Amino acid sequence: MRPSGRNAEQLRTVIIETGFSRHAEGSCLIKCGDTHVLCTASLEERVPPFLRNSGLGWVTAEYGMLPRATNTRNRREAAAGKQSGRTQEIQRLIGRSLRAGVDRVALGERQITVDCDVIQADGGTRCASITGGWVALRLAVNKLLKAGDIKSDPLTDHVAAVSCGIYGGMPILDLDYAEDSEAGTDANFVLTGSGGLIEVQGSAEGATFSRAQFDHLMDLAETGIAGLVAAQKAAIAG
Amino acid sequence: MRPSGRNAEQLRTVIIETGFSRHAEGSCLIKCGDTHVLCTASLEERVPPFLRNSGLGWVTAEYGMLPRATNTRNRREAAAGKQSGRTQEIQRLIGRSLRAGVDRVALGERQITVDCDVIQADGGTRCASITGGWVALRLAVNKLLKAGDIKSDPLTDHVAAVSCGIYGGMPILDLDYAEDSEAGTDANFVLTGSGGLIEVQGSAEGATFSRAQFDHLMDLAETGIAGLVAAQKAAIAG
Amino acid sequence: MRPSGRNAEQLRTVIIETGFSRHAEGSCLIKCGDTHVLCTASLEERVPPFLRNSGLGWVTAEYGMLPRATNTRNRREAAAGKQSGRTQEIQRLIGRSLRAGVDRVALGERQITVDCDVIQADGGTRCASITGGWVALRLAVNKLLKAGDIKSDPLTDHVAAVSCGIYGGMPILDLDYAEDSEAGTDANFVLTGSGGLIEVQGSAEGATFSRAQFDHLMDLAETGIAGLVAAQKAAIAG
Amino acid sequence: MRPSGRNAEQLRTVIIETGFSRHAEGSCLIKCGDTHVLCTASLEERVPPFLRNSGLGWVTAEYGMLPRATNTRNRREAAAGKQSGRTQEIQRLIGRSLRAGVDRVALGERQITVDCDVIQADGGTRCASITGGWVALRLAVNKLLKAGDIKSDPLTDHVAAVSCGIYGGMPILDLDYAEDSEAGTDANFVLTGSGGLIEVQGSAEGATFSRAQFDHLMDLAETGIAGLVAAQKAAIAG
Amino acid sequence: MRPSGRNAEQLRTVIIETGFSRHAEGSCLIKCGDTHVLCTASLEERVPPFLRNSGLGWVTAEYGMLPRATNTRNRREAAAGKQSGRTQEIQRLIGRSLRAGVDRVALGERQITVDCDVIQADGGTRCASITGGWVALRLAVNKLLKAGDIKSDPLTDHVAAVSCGIYGGMPILDLDYAEDSEAGTDANFVLTGSGGLIEVQGSAEGATFSRAQFDHLMDLAETGIAGLVAAQKAAIAG
Amino acid sequence: MRPSGRNAEQLRTVIIETGFSRHAEGSCLIKCGDTHVLCTASLEERVPPFLRNSGLGWVTAEYGMLPRATNTRNRREAAAGKQSGRTQEIQRLIGRSLRAGVDRVALGERQITVDCDVIQADGGTRCASITGGWVALRLAVNKLLKAGDIKSDPLTDHVAAVSCGIYGGMPILDLDYAEDSEAGTDANFVLTGSGGLIEVQGSAEGATFSRAQFDHLMDLAETGIAGLVAAQKAAIAG
């Protein structure tokens, strides 16, 4: 039995409140159980220096966690004077994942920055950031399309992410913090709506894992992503 | 007429949702109109080095603003590698203000850190942080009292803050961003529930101001603080 | 009785030596009792990016304290790798105060940086920095006027600052370090030569203060500023 | 055809020179084709604070690249004042991978730091660092065993890493820089000598990839790891 | 002819005002022509970690320059967030030079920090810092001796420094800024009162120099040091 | 007797392997006994801002030491977030020394950065960096000459460096670490191939030194430089 009482292949309840931020071009508060992430997409009509006059757009991401999003307070990164290696690794993953679903020619020479700020954490914050970040990005792009600033839709597909792991020998989907801290293997999967793989990351915690086990985790991920994409669609339609 | 359509002595609608954060010992989301600040109080059973073995407690504060809390995106301070002078000035003010309402002997050798993170900004974020921060502090202290960890209440009174300014020659209460950016004088007042002054700060923006004008602003502040303290009481009782 | 033996409304002896620095466009060493601050005004024929092509000038300030200006040695901020929150708060105050006495159109697109370096500290360093900083600024502007680089005087009035506080229940003017560290309320006032208010800051230390007490402090400040402006006039004339 | 002229499943020539550094407890220079990494293992008889009195040892890694290891000179990270997100991500991966092959109880309360410094880069530096880092670790542990400082071997298996990718539609093993910069999917695999999976990382570059393709990459990885483990054995025996 | 009009072997006028700082255990303002450096010696009854329980004392130095000490304003190092390479090189030289004249056993386990802050610069600031820094150190040590905190004098001799250079082909002593910026070779010499060499540094600027020329510079230095030691003696006696 | 068993005037064995780095325009690995430094010269067709449109070229240097180049591991400077004062002092010396042998008009508006990274340290790393750095520079310039990018050779002479010291009262040449850490005086000399002096640096460690002793060290240096220049010639010819 999982600590959460969920079935092995059961996602946490997903709630996506769009338009959470008044100022951002696109935004949502995504809640995957007790993990709550505020995602905002900010549009700028300029690109980083390496893309000037290239005709290509850019999508990037930043990630942060409020000091008391977790069970014990973490030091504020702004006060520490730098972002941790973990933070940088996560925001690089979010940006790379979202860009995989973007036609940068269609976007044109503009940049969209997706900020993912964890308000409350209970495991799976990087995956929630990708899933919610895509919704914020979708809404910002919709605004550009509606205003006629871009002609064809630069978003080629949904992008969503979910974690899987091996808990007590059993492969399970969408780990919360209690499950994650006990899991023997921890994996994150980023997929498109049509099932294409964008990122696959699996790490042994303690014992190594087998190809068969990893395959099982990928099966779970495909199930989970289907549920998350459905939630994205409902939120956008809403 | 004010851009907001409010009367000169009218506060913005104040909403204080307590228990917004699952992990913190005390927390609330305070909304003063479109200014939304998440305040959490985190308890630690140790004090900074300069207070060790003094028998005295400590209350401190940190302040942050999400990158897209404002109309245009600001650079993330953690990415910039330091907190701005403005951020440091604000968090020093919040900490000093809250400590003015604390009996540090009664608190005992423990530290409470109040984090104030601006989710959405529309003027008056430092005042909302103090008013909401006090609620988070109150809730964390209530928990200590209930658990019997401290005997007598270390909070000596309510602490709340409000801004005033001179807009188009007219003294007005609780400025939003549109009003603040046009105001000729900008002032912040921190008071206790019983009307004692904790902090008084007035700055000329452009023209100087007179003692009579400043007196008028203080009258407005007393009115405003009364309303904010009532909101704090309702939230705590709630 | 005050530790200093002064009357409640008595300033410390003020000495302003102009031309202390050979290289700066304007400079003075201001001594308010044992508080000694070297103030230099440096002219540059360019403005910060946000003012380019605006036709407006800029006046800014930086503040520092030599490591052994105080009773025990403080860590050098350059070695620590950053300016403290206190330093940043003070230099923002000095810059804001001086700008309140400047017609930035008349100044034209140039920047004057006023550096205030505390050589020896005995309380009231931020106020001495403003009062002395204005003299350095005045001298640098005089040089511009004499050279014909600007036509009309951009300095609209004197700017000076003084601290007041409540010591042993008695409101007193111009606190030295011994008085300041025991004061129940600490306030700083920045005024123009004609008595207009630029900045008003009062903080409770321990007990809160009343409006009547704060009014009393403002009375003292007006007296003190008159004395400081007289000293500025004598120094400039000298 | 691959730019390197190798077969799809062919490793680059691997040369591991042990004892390259006179001072380190264990060291080697690993050459995977034109990628050359100096790996040193440094022993300390103390552990990080979070492990004190736990009876557990620690293995950690740091990664660096000489400024002119690459085709154009990169800015020295020490001069830039921080390690890039990429550097931190890589050194976290190396440390995590090596720890997966260590029995930390058997190691006892001591720390081994594996430094991987890229002398010359031609793709696959993180994989070469893991493969070479394990050799340095093995040599340092051998020294401890020989001295009788530890009783039972804390290294549970070989650890090695290799990259795979899809180049021109074809899955290939052990990409050099020319291949890597054109690859459609980029993956890194860390395995034990007995074939257990430690880390699996795949990223789409441009188009997404399918499960079948990813399976193919894993087949290649298993072939490659076998060759690298053989090279490790030869070097240690050497 | 030198720009300064001085003879080749003529020092600038040296003025050493002792007791310039009220708080420091020892202090002076040294003026070598238009180069003015404030030197303070601060005593602490503890040593750096590497000397704890060694019975040895420590003397160290820090160096800084006020932003407008020079002809054009330099960026404040505290604002830049680090000390320049030049600053660090100079303060290492000052500390090393002063320690060469200290019997660290006689000093006992205490540290004296000599701060050298350049108020006004006209060439030769590092040499003036050493010469003035020794006076501050002497005064602080005298205080310790007088109080009976140390028994035997830990200062073994005077330490003073002077620059020499080749200007227009002619070796000259004690260069001011105008001379220094045109000099073909620039050298600094640190000597004891009895003529022992502590530091010798010569750099070619443009053309190389010969051993004969360097010998000539050393002759000049011996002359200069004699004059500076006489000034130190007068200041201490004064 | 020296710990190394060498005669007083005997250099360590010098080996210079050119072309050690595949990417750099010029490179070598210089081995002076157990001190091994990798030197690379990187060419850029642009100069620092202060030289734009001056027609002058620039040669600069950076220095680093791998964490385990020494007997005990040093903290990685990139992880520490800054270069130490020692590192900055050394790289300034290397750059200044190499520039002394460059005709910057003949070089034209381009920059060559010489990176000196210590792979293994056994004393004298700064001198080995200069001697090896010159070889890397020579090779990069040869490439420019061969390609016809510059017409006349901008290198006016060889540049090499060696340390000398007084060990057990005896002046000796080219100290290794064991000798250096016991030496009473430590000196570094940078000379041209034709014997011109570029840099002379001598420091007392403990006792002061006399002019006669310093003269003796300079004699040794001239001998040593002759040997090093011969090694440079052989390497270049090789």
Side-chain angles (χ1 to χ4, degrees):
Chain A
M1 272 291 288
R2 303 174 62 164
S4 64
R6 284 183 279 144
N7 295 334
E9 74 288 356
Q10 193 181 343
L11 283 176
R12 291 180 282 187
T13 304
V14 186
I15 298 170
I16 303 177
E17 301 178 35
T18 58
F20 193 82
S21 163
R22 183 193 183 204
H23 300 299
E25 280 73 26
S27 72
C28 73
L29 177 68
I30 184 168
K31 299 183 179 177
C32 296
D34 280 323
T35 289
H36 302 175
V37 185
L38 174 54
C39 305
T40 60
S42 296
L43 175 72
E44 285 173 299
E45 290 295 326
R46 56 189 186 75
V47 287
F50 69 92
L51 287 177
R52 272 184 210 142
N53 303 317
S54 68
L56 297 173
W58 190 243
V59 172
T60 188
E62 291 194 5
Y63 171 91
M65 197 183 262
L66 296 192
R68 195 55 196 279
T70 43
N71 196 41
T72 54
R73 187 177 182 272
N74 291 300
R75 192 169 179 205
R76 189 177 288 268
E77 290 191 327
K82 64 173 182 173
Q83 294 179 299
S84 70
R86 178 187 171 275
T87 291
Q88 291 187 65
E89 192 170 323
I90 292 175
Q91 67 190 11
R92 282 158 56 92
L93 171 66
I94 301 170
R96 212 161 60 226
S97 297
L98 294 178
R99 278 195 298 279
V102 174
D103 176 345
R104 288 164 52 208
V105 175
L107 180 57
E109 265 195 47
R110 47 178 63 84
Q111 171 167 297
I112 299 180
T113 301
V114 176
D115 285 288
C116 301
D117 284 277
V118 180
I119 302 295
Q120 190 174 281
D122 187 36
T125 63
R126 77 187 70 191
C127 292
S129 295
I130 292 169
T131 306
W134 185 86
V135 171
L137 177 62
R138 175 74 273 175
L139 293 171
V141 168
N142 283 356
K143 206 166 177 177
L144 279 170
L145 285 165
K146 200 171 169 186
D149 291 334
I150 50 180
K151 301 289 153 48
S152 67
D153 189 357
L155 298 196
T156 56
D157 201 347
H158 283 246
V159 175
V162 76
S163 75
C164 302
I166 300 176
Y167 176 86
M170 178 177 65
I172 58 174
L173 178 66
D174 193 20
L175 288 69
D176 61 27
Y177 179 76
E179 293 164 347
D180 184 56
S181 52
E182 297 293 319
T185 294
D186 185 21
N188 294 295
F189 297 90
V190 187
L191 276 77
T192 60
S194 52
L197 293 165
I198 293 174
E199 285 272 340
V200 170
Q201 297 186 336
S203 294
E205 310 275 343
T208 60
F209 54 97
S210 67
R211 286 185 67 167
Q213 286 176 311
F214 194 67
D215 253 16
H216 197 148
L217 297 180
M218 239 194 239
D219 291 338
L220 287 175
E222 290 183 345
T223 306
I225 295 293
L228 292 166
V229 168
Q232 288 178 328
K233 285 182 178 163
I236 301 293
Chain B
M1 271 293 286
R2 303 172 63 163
S4 64
R6 284 182 279 144
N7 295 333
E9 74 287 358
Q10 195 180 343
L11 283 177
R12 292 180 282 188
T13 304
V14 187
I15 297 170
I16 302 176
E17 299 179 34
T18 58
F20 193 81
S21 165
R22 182 195 183 202
H23 299 298
E25 281 72 28
S27 72
C28 72
L29 178 68
I30 184 168
K31 298 183 178 178
C32 297
D34 281 322
T35 288
H36 302 175
V37 184
L38 174 54
C39 305
T40 59
S42 297
L43 175 71
E44 285 172 297
E45 291 295 327
R46 55 186 187 77
V47 286
F50 69 93
L51 287 178
R52 271 182 211 145
N53 303 318
S54 68
L56 296 173
W58 191 244
V59 172
T60 187
E62 292 196 4
Y63 170 93
M65 198 183 260
L66 296 192
R68 195 55 196 279
T70 44
N71 197 41
T72 54
R73 185 177 184 275
N74 291 301
R75 190 167 180 207
R76 188 177 289 267
E77 290 191 328
K82 62 173 184 173
Q83 294 180 299
S84 71
R86 178 187 172 276
T87 291
Q88 292 188 63
E89 192 170 322
I90 291 175
Q91 68 192 11
R92 283 158 55 89
L93 170 66
I94 301 170
R96 212 162 58 226
S97 296
L98 293 177
R99 277 193 299 278
V102 174
D103 175 344
R104 288 165 53 208
V105 174
L107 180 56
E109 266 195 46
R110 48 179 60 86
Q111 171 167 297
I112 299 178
T113 302
V114 177
D115 285 287
C116 301
D117 284 276
V118 180
I119 303 295
Q120 189 174 281
D122 187 36
T125 63
R126 78 188 69 190
C127 290
S129 296
I130 291 169
T131 306
W134 185 84
V135 171
L137 177 62
R138 174 75 273 173
L139 293 170
V141 168
N142 283 355
K143 208 167 176 178
L144 279 171
L145 285 166
K146 201 171 166 186
D149 291 334
I150 49 179
K151 302 288 154 50
S152 66
D153 189 358
L155 299 195
T156 55
D157 201 347
H158 283 246
V159 174
V162 76
S163 76
C164 302
I166 300 176
Y167 177 84
M170 178 177 65
I172 58 174
L173 178 67
D174 192 20
L175 288 70
D176 62 25
Y177 179 76
E179 293 164 348
D180 185 57
S181 53
E182 296 294 318
T185 294
D186 185 22
N188 294 296
F189 297 90
V190 187
L191 276 76
T192 61
S194 52
L197 294 165
I198 292 173
E199 284 274 338
V200 170
Q201 298 186 334
S203 293
E205 309 275 342
T208 59
F209 54 97
S210 68
R211 286 184 66 166
Q213 285 176 311
F214 194 67
D215 253 16
H216 196 147
L217 296 180
M218 239 195 241
D219 290 339
L220 287 174
E222 290 183 344
T223 306
I225 294 294
L228 292 165
V229 167
Q232 287 178 331
K233 286 182 177 164
I236 299 294
Chain C
M1 269 295 286
R2 303 174 62 164
S4 62
R6 284 182 278 144
N7 295 334
E9 74 288 354
Q10 193 180 345
L11 283 177
R12 291 180 282 187
T13 305
V14 187
I15 299 170
I16 304 177
E17 301 178 33
T18 59
F20 193 83
S21 164
R22 182 193 183 204
H23 299 297
E25 281 72 27
S27 72
C28 73
L29 177 68
I30 184 168
K31 298 183 179 177
C32 297
D34 280 323
T35 289
H36 303 174
V37 185
L38 173 54
C39 305
T40 60
S42 296
L43 175 72
E44 285 172 299
E45 290 295 326
R46 56 187 185 75
V47 287
F50 69 92
L51 287 177
R52 272 181 209 143
N53 304 316
S54 69
L56 296 172
W58 190 243
V59 172
T60 187
E62 291 194 6
Y63 171 92
M65 197 182 261
L66 295 192
R68 195 56 198 278
T70 44
N71 196 41
T72 54
R73 187 177 183 272
N74 290 300
R75 190 167 180 206
R76 188 178 288 268
E77 290 191 328
K82 64 174 184 173
Q83 294 179 300
S84 71
R86 177 186 172 276
T87 291
Q88 291 188 64
E89 192 169 322
I90 291 174
Q91 68 190 12
R92 284 158 56 90
L93 171 66
I94 301 170
R96 211 162 59 228
S97 296
L98 294 177
R99 279 194 298 278
V102 173
D103 176 345
R104 289 164 53 207
V105 175
L107 179 57
E109 266 195 47
R110 49 178 60 86
Q111 170 168 298
I112 299 178
T113 302
V114 176
D115 285 288
C116 301
D117 284 277
V118 180
I119 302 295
Q120 189 174 281
D122 187 36
T125 64
R126 77 188 69 192
C127 291
S129 295
I130 292 170
T131 304
W134 185 85
V135 171
L137 177 62
R138 174 75 272 174
L139 294 170
V141 167
N142 283 355
K143 206 166 177 179
L144 279 170
L145 284 166
K146 199 171 170 188
D149 291 333
I150 50 178
K151 302 290 152 49
S152 66
D153 188 358
L155 298 195
T156 56
D157 201 346
H158 283 247
V159 174
V162 75
S163 76
C164 302
I166 301 176
Y167 176 85
M170 177 176 66
I172 58 174
L173 178 68
D174 193 19
L175 288 68
D176 61 27
Y177 180 75
E179 293 164 346
D180 186 55
S181 53
E182 296 294 318
T185 295
D186 184 22
N188 294 294
F189 297 90
V190 186
L191 274 78
T192 60
S194 52
L197 294 164
I198 292 174
E199 285 274 340
V200 170
Q201 298 185 335
S203 293
E205 310 275 344
T208 59
F209 54 95
S210 68
R211 288 185 64 167
Q213 286 176 311
F214 194 67
D215 253 18
H216 197 147
L217 297 180
M218 238 194 240
D219 290 339
L220 288 174
E222 290 183 342
T223 307
I225 295 292
L228 293 165
V229 168
Q232 288 178 329
K233 285 182 178 163
I236 300 293
Chain D
M1 270 293 288
R2 302 173 63 163
S4 62
R6 283 182 280 144
N7 296 333
E9 74 288 356
Q10 193 180 345
L11 284 177
R12 293 180 280 187
T13 305
V14 187
I15 299 170
I16 303 176
E17 301 178 33
T18 58
F20 194 82
S21 164
R22 182 193 184 206
H23 299 298
E25 280 72 27
S27 72
C28 73
L29 177 68
I30 183 167
K31 299 184 178 177
C32 297
D34 280 323
T35 289
H36 303 175
V37 184
L38 174 53
C39 305
T40 59
S42 297
L43 174 72
E44 285 172 299
E45 290 293 329
R46 57 187 185 76
V47 287
F50 70 92
L51 286 177
R52 272 183 209 141
N53 304 317
S54 68
L56 297 173
W58 190 243
V59 172
T60 187
E62 291 196 6
Y63 171 93
M65 197 182 260
L66 296 192
R68 195 56 196 279
T70 45
N71 197 40
T72 54
R73 186 178 184 274
N74 291 299
R75 191 170 179 206
R76 188 178 288 268
E77 290 191 328
K82 63 172 183 174
Q83 295 178 299
S84 71
R86 178 186 172 278
T87 291
Q88 292 187 63
E89 194 170 320
I90 291 174
Q91 68 191 12
R92 283 157 55 90
L93 171 65
I94 301 170
R96 213 162 57 227
S97 297
L98 294 178
R99 278 193 299 278
V102 174
D103 174 345
R104 288 164 55 209
V105 175
L107 180 56
E109 266 195 49
R110 48 178 61 85
Q111 171 168 296
I112 300 179
T113 301
V114 176
D115 285 287
C116 301
D117 284 276
V118 181
I119 302 294
Q120 190 174 281
D122 187 36
T125 64
R126 78 188 69 190
C127 291
S129 296
I130 291 169
T131 305
W134 186 86
V135 172
L137 176 62
R138 174 75 272 174
L139 294 170
V141 167
N142 284 353
K143 207 167 178 177
L144 279 170
L145 284 166
K146 200 170 169 187
D149 291 333
I150 50 179
K151 303 285 153 50
S152 66
D153 188 357
L155 298 196
T156 55
D157 201 347
H158 283 247
V159 174
V162 75
S163 76
C164 301
I166 300 176
Y167 177 85
M170 179 176 65
I172 59 173
L173 178 69
D174 192 20
L175 289 69
D176 62 25
Y177 180 76
E179 292 163 347
D180 184 57
S181 54
E182 296 294 318
T185 294
D186 185 21
N188 293 297
F189 297 89
V190 187
L191 275 76
T192 60
S194 52
L197 294 165
I198 292 174
E199 285 274 339
V200 170
Q201 297 185 335
S203 293
E205 309 275 344
T208 59
F209 54 96
S210 67
R211 286 185 65 167
Q213 286 177 311
F214 194 68
D215 254 15
H216 198 148
L217 296 181
M218 241 194 239
D219 291 338
L220 287 174
E222 290 182 345
T223 306
I225 294 293
L228 293 165
V229 168
Q232 288 178 329
K233 285 182 179 164
I236 300 293
Chain E
M1 269 294 287
R2 302 173 61 162
S4 64
R6 282 183 280 144
N7 296 334
E9 74 288 356
Q10 192 180 347
L11 283 177
R12 293 180 282 187
T13 305
V14 187
I15 299 170
I16 302 176
E17 300 178 34
T18 58
F20 193 83
S21 164
R22 183 195 182 204
H23 299 298
E25 280 72 28
S27 71
C28 73
L29 178 68
I30 183 168
K31 299 184 177 176
C32 297
D34 280 323
T35 289
H36 302 175
V37 185
L38 174 54
C39 306
T40 59
S42 297
L43 174 72
E44 284 172 298
E45 290 295 327
R46 56 188 185 75
V47 286
F50 69 92
L51 286 177
R52 272 184 209 142
N53 303 318
S54 68
L56 297 173
W58 191 243
V59 172
T60 186
E62 292 195 4
Y63 170 92
M65 197 183 260
L66 296 191
R68 195 56 196 278
T70 44
N71 196 40
T72 55
R73 186 178 183 274
N74 290 301
R75 189 166 182 210
R76 188 178 289 268
E77 290 191 327
K82 62 172 183 175
Q83 294 180 300
S84 71
R86 178 187 172 276
T87 291
Q88 291 187 64
E89 192 170 322
I90 291 174
Q91 67 191 12
R92 283 158 55 89
L93 170 66
I94 301 170
R96 213 161 57 227
S97 297
L98 294 178
R99 278 194 298 278
V102 173
D103 174 344
R104 288 164 56 209
V105 175
L107 180 56
E109 265 194 50
R110 47 178 63 86
Q111 171 167 296
I112 298 179
T113 302
V114 176
D115 285 287
C116 302
D117 284 275
V118 180
I119 303 295
Q120 191 174 279
D122 187 38
T125 64
R126 78 188 68 191
C127 291
S129 295
I130 292 169
T131 306
W134 186 85
V135 172
L137 177 62
R138 174 74 274 174
L139 294 170
V141 167
N142 284 354
K143 206 166 177 177
L144 279 170
L145 285 166
K146 200 172 168 187
D149 291 333
I150 49 180
K151 302 288 153 51
S152 66
D153 189 358
L155 299 195
T156 56
D157 201 347
H158 282 248
V159 174
V162 75
S163 75
C164 302
I166 301 176
Y167 177 85
M170 177 177 66
I172 58 174
L173 177 68
D174 191 19
L175 288 69
D176 62 25
Y177 180 76
E179 293 163 348
D180 184 57
S181 52
E182 297 294 318
T185 294
D186 184 22
N188 294 295
F189 297 89
V190 185
L191 276 76
T192 60
S194 51
L197 294 165
I198 293 174
E199 286 273 339
V200 169
Q201 298 185 336
S203 293
E205 310 273 344
T208 59
F209 54 97
S210 67
R211 286 184 67 167
Q213 285 177 311
F214 194 68
D215 254 15
H216 196 148
L217 296 180
M218 239 193 241
D219 290 339
L220 287 174
E222 290 182 343
T223 307
I225 294 293
L228 292 165
V229 168
Q232 287 178 330
K233 285 181 178 163
I236 300 294
Chain F
M1 270 294 287
R2 302 175 63 164
S4 63
R6 283 182 279 143
N7 296 333
E9 74 288 354
Q10 191 180 345
L11 282 177
R12 291 180 282 187
T13 305
V14 187
I15 299 170
I16 302 177
E17 301 178 32
T18 59
F20 194 82
S21 164
R22 181 194 184 203
H23 300 299
E25 280 73 26
S27 72
C28 73
L29 178 68
I30 183 168
K31 299 182 178 177
C32 297
D34 280 322
T35 289
H36 303 176
V37 185
L38 174 53
C39 305
T40 59
S42 298
L43 174 72
E44 285 173 299
E45 290 294 327
R46 56 187 187 74
V47 287
F50 69 92
L51 287 177
R52 274 185 207 140
N53 304 316
S54 68
L56 297 173
W58 191 242
V59 172
T60 186
E62 291 195 6
Y63 171 92
M65 196 183 262
L66 295 192
R68 195 55 197 279
T70 44
N71 196 40
T72 54
R73 186 178 184 272
N74 291 300
R75 192 170 178 203
R76 190 177 286 270
E77 291 191 328
K82 62 173 185 175
Q83 295 179 299
S84 71
R86 176 186 173 277
T87 291
Q88 291 187 64
E89 193 169 322
I90 291 175
Q91 67 191 12
R92 283 157 56 90
L93 170 66
I94 302 170
R96 213 162 57 227
S97 296
L98 294 178
R99 279 194 298 278
V102 175
D103 175 345
R104 289 166 50 209
V105 174
L107 179 57
E109 264 195 49
R110 48 179 61 86
Q111 171 168 299
I112 299 179
T113 301
V114 177
D115 285 287
C116 301
D117 284 276
V118 180
I119 302 294
Q120 190 175 282
D122 186 38
T125 65
R126 77 188 69 191
C127 291
S129 296
I130 291 169
T131 305
W134 186 84
V135 172
L137 177 62
R138 175 74 273 174
L139 294 170
V141 167
N142 283 354
K143 206 166 177 178
L144 279 170
L145 285 166
K146 198 171 171 187
D149 291 334
I150 50 180
K151 303 286 153 48
S152 66
D153 189 357
L155 299 195
T156 55
D157 200 347
H158 282 246
V159 174
V162 76
S163 75
C164 302
I166 301 175
Y167 177 85
M170 176 176 67
I172 57 174
L173 177 67
D174 192 19
L175 289 68
D176 60 27
Y177 180 76
E179 294 164 345
D180 185 57
S181 53
E182 296 294 318
T185 294
D186 184 22
N188 294 294
F189 297 89
V190 187
L191 276 76
T192 61
S194 52
L197 294 163
I198 293 174
E199 285 274 339
V200 170
Q201 297 185 336
S203 293
E205 310 274 345
T208 60
F209 53 97
S210 68
R211 285 185 67 167
Q213 286 177 310
F214 194 68
D215 253 16
H216 196 147
L217 297 180
M218 239 194 240
D219 290 339
L220 287 174
E222 290 182 345
T223 307
I225 294 292
L228 293 165
V229 168
Q232 288 178 330
K233 285 183 178 161
I236 300 293

